[in-house]
Amino acid sequence: MLSAKEMRRWKIQLMNNKVWFIIATLIVSVLIFVFYSRESITPPEGAAHLTLIESKVAACLDGSPPGFYYRPGHENGAKKWIIFLRGGAWCFSEPDCAERSTTQLGSSKHWPKWFVPPIDGLGSSDGSRNPDFWNWNLAVVQYCDGSSFSSHRSRSFTVGNKDVLFRGADILEAVFSTLEVQHNLNKSEDIIFAGCSAGGLGVILHLDWVAERYPDTKVRGLADAGYFFPYKHPDTFLDPFGANLGAAVRHFNVSVPLGTSYTCWLVYYATDQQWRCFLPRYLLPHIRTPLFLLQSQVDSWHVRHLADIQCVVKDLPKPEETHCTHDVIGGRMQKFAEEFNDEITSVLADSPHVSYVVTSCYAHCMSGLDYQSDLWREKLNTIDDNAMPTWLNRKFSTWYKTGEMVKQVESVSPHAC
């Protein structure tokens, strides 16, 4: 049996052990907290912070809240905006969209707290690299609906044990409403409505809607890699993209007309061909707001998915990639590029509102807010012998400031960039 003195010593030792255990637990808890919340404690330089939108209607494919990344403007850019729609292709069937709903392209559950725009792109906060737009408000809209922000199906559908929603148009409305309430977007002086890939198509679809929403604001569009065109494979003569698009438009009620698409809608409504209004070939002649198209005639996504050319044109291909031979580059790829050039120049030859720069750079998206930021400052050549070579960022900035039309197409010479 312990003596009274030994009992006191035991109690003191036990108490000390408890104190050290509590201290150790607190230290570990603090370290865990700092590790998982370090993004919110020390934001990266030039970063935009995530805002999730709680809405009864707007939702990602899986029902989680949509959102955007916001970085405030300052000085003379305090009332000027870049609103950028991110891309990520479409989903064309219920199983395809259900699978997408488990990824960051269909759910906001695992989006990071911060988005850091590439230093050489349109959203860069470095004034030496992005002198015209570095201090503008920046809102980067996350893509999680699979329809270029155009779908509106009131009821969900079930695939297996997943309920999937199509609320792309509702997401766009919620984003703009939230930016107005929280950041005074409705008092803006300038808005560049931009996007890449499926987001670039979203710009073409909704640019007039944005301009109509802010009649006292200078609104301009930048559609980067958003010109998808119905290309028939030379062997099969099939246009899988156009066929899939038509089915998706009808099935998922991708039919709420916003801005430009409404006037196009009226043209094709009687023949039940409204899906055509999701192809720039049919949509762009109806646009009323100045738009700058940035596109590659050998867009890497188009070449792979439309022309079925699976090799790549890169200086340093990945181990799993095969570099295209000269025969492929000078044959099938050359033919694809020539057809694309014919398409865009014929569709837009007389357009009073749409300018374009078409490069021969093997890339997908060049404005530097989703991919390959260095291309935004890429030097361009031209098929016009009397025109001086220029740079993408300078070409866009000059167009934005002066309003002068730009119709520039590089000579067909697919190259790595």
Side-chain angles (χ1 to χ4, degrees), residues 49 74 101 115 130 134 189 206 238 250 255 285 332 340 405 409:
H49 187 263
H74 54 93
S101 72
F115 171 79
N130 188 26
W134 68 281
E189 295 175 350
H206 308 306
L238 296 177
R250 288 187 291 269
S255 59
R332 291 175 58 198
F340 180 81
M405 295 296 293
V409 179

Side-chain angles (χ1 to χ4, degrees), residues 266-341:
L266 295 177
V267 173
Y268 294 102
Y269 179 80
T271 56
D272 195 30
Q273 294 181 314
Q274 301 96 312
W275 63 270
R276 290 178 180 265
C277 296
F278 289 84
L279 289 171
R281 168 189 289 184
Y282 305 103
L283 181 59
L284 282 172
H286 300 275
I287 203 164
R288 304 182 299 277
T289 306
L291 172 67
F292 189 97
L293 287 178
L294 177 58
Q295 193 79 33
S296 171
Q297 61 201 216
V298 286
D299 182 291
S300 56
W301 191 95
H302 290 188
V303 166
R304 179 176 291 270
H305 296 279
L306 300 182
D308 194 28
I309 299 174
Q310 301 303 313
C311 54
V312 301
V313 183
K314 295 181 180 179
D315 292 329
L316 296 172
K318 297 177 181 178
E320 68 274 14
E321 295 176 331
T322 302
H323 196 280
C324 292
T325 64
H326 290 295
D327 288 342
V328 172
I329 294 174
R332 291 175 58 198
M333 194 174 292
Q334 175 98 4
K335 184 176 185 299
F336 180 86
E338 291 171 350
E339 287 195 28
F340 180 81
N341 289 349

Side-chain angles (χ1 to χ4, degrees), residues 73-86:
H74 54 93
E75 300 174 35
N76 64 347
K79 293 187 177 181
K80 301 177 185 294
W81 286 78
I82 296 171
I83 301 176
F84 187 87
L85 305 182
R86 300 194 77 177

Side-chain angles (χ1 to χ4, degrees), residues 35-203:
F35 178 80
Y36 283 104
S37 63
R38 64 194 185 282
E39 290 182 320
S40 59
I41 294 174
T42 307
E45 184 178 355
H49 187 263
L50 177 64
T51 297
L52 294 177
I53 304 171
E54 297 298 334
S55 169
K56 294 181 179 179
V57 179
C60 296
L61 289 171
D62 71 335
S64 60
F68 57 87
Y69 291 94
Y70 173 71
R71 186 185 69 206
H74 54 93
E75 300 174 35
N76 64 347
K79 293 187 177 181
K80 301 177 185 294
W81 286 78
I82 296 171
I83 301 176
F84 187 87
L85 305 182
R86 300 194 77 177
W90 277 42
C91 55
F92 294 104
S93 67
E94 292 183 356
D96 184 22
C97 295
E99 182 177 353
R100 173 185 281 243
S101 72
T102 64
T103 72
Q104 290 195 15
L105 288 173
S107 172
S108 63
K109 292 178 180 178
H110 301 293
W111 290 347
K113 289 185 174 66
W114 300 96
F115 171 79
V116 183
I119 194 169
D120 280 326
L122 175 65
S124 173
S125 61
D126 186 331
S128 65
R129 296 171 181 266
N130 188 26
D132 296 309
F133 310 111
W134 68 281
N135 62 348
W136 287 31
N137 292 276
L138 176 66
V140 179
V141 186
Q142 286 291 91
Y143 184 45
C144 65
D145 64 276
S147 68
S148 293
F149 302 91
S150 299
S151 57
H152 178 76
R153 179 168 167 170
S154 58
R155 296 182 179 179
S156 64
F157 61 85
T158 302
V159 178
N161 60 351
K162 293 185 178 70
D163 289 331
V164 184
L165 295 169
F166 267 80
R167 303 285 174 79
D170 303 295
I171 290 175
L172 199 64
E173 171 64 40
V175 165
F176 277 83
S177 296
T178 302
L179 289 173
E180 290 167 1
V181 172
Q182 296 185 3
H183 304 294
N184 296 316
L185 175 62
N186 51 312
K187 297 180 181 179
S188 59
E189 295 175 350
D190 294 70
I191 295 176
I192 294 175
F193 186 45
C196 156
S197 191
L201 177 58
V203 169

